[in-house]
Amino acid sequence: MEGYRVLEIKQSVFENNDREADKLREQLKQEKTFLLNLMSSPGSGKTTTLKATIAALKDEFRIGVMEADIDSDVDAATIEKTGAKVIQLHTGGMCHLDAGMTRQGLQGLDTADIDFAILENIGNLVCPAEFDTGAVKNAMILSVPEGHDKPLKYPLMFSICDVLLINKIDVLPYFDFDIEACKKYVLRLNPNMKIIPICARTGEGIDEFAQWLREHITAWNA
Amino acid sequence: MEGYRVLEIKQSVFENNDREADKLREQLKQEKTFLLNLMSSPGSGKTTTLKATIAALKDEFRIGVMEADIDSDVDAATIEKTGAKVIQLHTGGMCHLDAGMTRQGLQGLDTADIDFAILENIGNLVCPAEFDTGAVKNAMILSVPEGHDKPLKYPLMFSICDVLLINKIDVLPYFDFDIEACKKYVLRLNPNMKIIPICARTGEGIDEFAQWLREHITAWNA
């Protein structure tokens, strides 16, 4: 039997998502829980990146993960093996999570004993960018096989994130991916973006991401 | 100056998208225009696949391409070089096209002299699956770096398509992608799916896709 719960979350009914998101952030601040919203295309390596990140930080923080997926439990089963607390959220076809849905997930996860909560959002570069989940920071992954032109095509996602992980850098020799052009496109949209090249599979670059998280989690939970 | 137009399409107002899609298909049948709706994640190779497919079929059919994108003109500029008629559709943030939006695109393209029209949909495995565009056939691309578990996670997309192109098979040695497992997951959702492994960059498998298209276009336009 699996050790994780599956929660069918319902579309939320709040007219003003931005206000709900702000309320959720205030509550997280009071409860000393840092929430990271992790977004990307399908298949760019969100779950593998989370596994490596949890391994790097699990001795310092109590970590809880919400795996949002339309239908399957594949990712919760993977994350469960890291020892982190995990809950699978089923969005029932919804292509994003808003603040109300994220609140349902946090309640299902029960964040009373969690310092660092992570929402693995639906694999989608469009819709999740449009809804503030209430997270303290937004992270995104762009993987090398997707191409360096993606900031031109999905500008909102690259504009609203705080950190960009360029993943699968081990396969750079096999793809026509110009990392400097990518950085230039990203920084033109979002001059404050922290950009970290990583390979989640081998662990390359995960230390730098873990350090970025460590600083932000510690400041938030102080 | 570019030789392609950019059309800002508006969100359509039809309550019953399925009925609008059926009406559009009837009209395409009368006008002897075959419409293919091509969907995938961002970066899986839609535009490169289209370039290779247009090269294979341009001497047999008059081809027109609608490049749907949230904001940029990157893809229309690429497709224009193939010699095919092309129009760039800007969806203004919308994550999918419905039948009403597709009709606006076809009018902008002007399909009077087109046998084979292609809609390159927004890069997104979620929302485009939920809206019938009025296309005669739905095609999708899954690329090797995305992973073979995607049918488990985006089941609707894999259920509503007629043909699946498994792209970037040239990088199979560098990724943990089980092509037989992928086929099994897909056929369980959709026993009628035609599955064609391709490498759009080298042209491998494009002949088989072109033959599949040739048969369906010829039958529709008869």
Side-chain angles (χ1 to χ4, degrees):
Chain A
M1 210 188 93
E2 299 89 357
Y4 57 85
R5 272 180 62 206
V6 176
L7 183 66
E8 309 289 334
I9 54 179
K10 289 168 188 62
Q11 200 167 347
S12 52
V13 294
F14 301 111
E15 269 184 52
N16 191 331
N17 183 61
D18 286 345
R19 190 165 54 202
E20 281 306 310
D22 286 339
K23 275 170 59 180
L24 184 54
R25 252 186 306 275
E26 278 167 36
Q27 189 181 321
L28 289 167
K29 180 77 185 162
Q30 284 167 9
E31 296 174 359
K32 297 184 188 290
T33 301
F34 178 93
L35 174 61
L36 181 77
N37 175 25
L38 180 60
M39 296 173 284
S40 81
S41 293
S44 64
K46 287 187 296 299
T47 311
T48 309
T49 301
L50 282 188
K51 273 172 62 184
T53 306
I54 291 166
L57 293 172
K58 70 180 159 57
D59 295 336
E60 299 166 59
F61 304 107
R62 295 169 299 173
I63 303 176
V65 178
M66 296 177 282
E67 286 292 339
D69 218 333
I70 290 172
D71 202 27
S72 86
D73 300 353
V74 178
D75 295 336
T78 304
I79 292 296
E80 195 195 7
K81 295 181 190 137
T82 65
K85 195 171 176 183
V86 61
I87 187 167
Q88 179 75 50
L89 311 182
H90 280 175
T91 64
M94 283 292 287
C95 51
H96 66 274
L97 276 86
D98 62 16
M101 296 161 86
T102 304
R103 180 186 292 277
Q104 293 172 50
L106 289 164
Q107 285 166 349
L109 185 65
D110 184 5
T111 51
D113 58 353
I114 296 294
D115 309 309
F116 176 27
I118 305 166
L119 170 63
E120 182 179 331
N121 214 314
I122 300 288
N124 181 337
L125 282 189
V126 186
C127 319
E130 293 169 17
F131 293 87
D132 188 342
T133 58
V136 183
K137 295 287 176 188
N138 291 314
M140 70 170 293
I141 301 176
L142 174 69
S143 64
V144 163
E146 295 171 63
H148 60 259
D149 62 348
K150 292 302 160 290
L152 303 177
K153 302 176 78 174
Y154 303 92
L156 184 62
M157 178 61 80
F158 288 84
S159 302
I160 59 116
C161 281
D162 302 288
V163 60
L164 165 65
L165 306 175
I166 301 181
N167 192 21
K168 306 189 189 180
I169 55 168
D170 57 325
V171 296
L172 273 170
Y174 312 114
F175 289 91
D176 173 29
F177 186 96
D178 184 337
I179 203 160
E180 292 309 316
C182 181
K183 286 181 181 173
K184 195 179 74 180
Y185 295 150
V186 169
L187 294 172
R188 201 156 59 196
L189 286 166
N190 182 352
N192 299 319
M193 182 84 98
K194 170 82 173 171
I195 302 174
I196 309 176
I198 67 165
C199 174
R201 207 168 50 82
T202 64
E204 192 177 348
I206 294 295
D207 278 354
E208 189 178 350
F209 181 45
Q211 180 56 26
W212 184 89
L213 284 166
R214 186 178 287 118
E215 288 167 14
H216 285 286
I217 297 167
T218 307
W220 181 260
N221 293 351
Chain B
M1 211 189 90
E2 298 90 358
Y4 57 86
R5 274 178 62 206
V6 177
L7 182 66
E8 310 289 333
I9 54 178
K10 288 166 190 63
Q11 200 167 346
S12 53
V13 292
F14 302 110
E15 267 184 56
N16 190 330
N17 183 61
D18 286 344
R19 190 164 53 201
E20 282 305 311
D22 285 339
K23 274 170 61 181
L24 183 55
R25 252 187 305 275
E26 278 167 34
Q27 190 181 323
L28 289 166
K29 181 75 184 165
Q30 283 165 10
E31 296 174 356
K32 295 182 187 294
T33 301
F34 178 94
L35 174 61
L36 181 78
N37 175 26
L38 180 61
M39 296 173 285
S40 82
S41 294
S44 63
K46 287 188 293 303
T47 310
T48 308
T49 301
L50 282 188
K51 274 171 64 184
T53 305
I54 292 167
L57 293 172
K58 71 180 160 56
D59 295 335
E60 299 165 59
F61 303 107
R62 296 169 299 174
I63 302 176
V65 178
M66 297 177 284
E67 286 292 339
D69 219 333
I70 290 172
D71 202 27
S72 84
D73 300 353
V74 177
D75 294 335
T78 304
I79 292 296
E80 195 195 7
K81 294 180 191 139
T82 64
K85 195 171 176 184
V86 61
I87 188 167
Q88 179 76 52
L89 310 182
H90 280 175
T91 64
M94 285 290 287
C95 51
H96 67 273
L97 276 87
D98 62 16
M101 297 161 86
T102 304
R103 183 187 290 276
Q104 293 171 53
L106 288 164
Q107 285 165 348
L109 185 65
D110 184 7
T111 50
D113 59 352
I114 296 294
D115 309 311
F116 175 27
I118 305 165
L119 170 63
E120 184 180 329
N121 215 314
I122 300 289
N124 181 336
L125 282 189
V126 188
C127 319
E130 292 169 15
F131 293 88
D132 188 342
T133 58
V136 182
K137 294 286 176 188
N138 291 314
M140 71 169 293
I141 301 175
L142 174 69
S143 64
V144 163
E146 294 170 62
H148 60 259
D149 62 346
K150 292 302 160 290
L152 302 177
K153 302 175 78 173
Y154 304 92
L156 184 62
M157 179 60 82
F158 287 84
S159 301
I160 59 119
C161 282
D162 302 289
V163 59
L164 164 65
L165 306 175
I166 302 181
N167 191 21
K168 306 190 189 178
I169 55 168
D170 57 325
V171 297
L172 272 170
Y174 312 114
F175 289 90
D176 175 28
F177 186 97
D178 184 336
I179 203 161
E180 293 310 315
C182 182
K183 286 180 181 175
K184 194 179 73 179
Y185 297 149
V186 170
L187 293 173
R188 202 156 55 195
L189 287 166
N190 183 351
N192 299 317
M193 183 86 98
K194 170 82 173 172
I195 303 175
I196 309 175
I198 66 166
C199 174
R201 207 169 49 82
T202 63
E204 193 177 346
I206 294 296
D207 278 354
E208 190 178 350
F209 181 46
Q211 180 56 26
W212 184 90
L213 285 167
R214 188 178 287 119
E215 288 168 14
H216 287 286
I217 298 167
T218 308
W220 181 260
N221 292 355

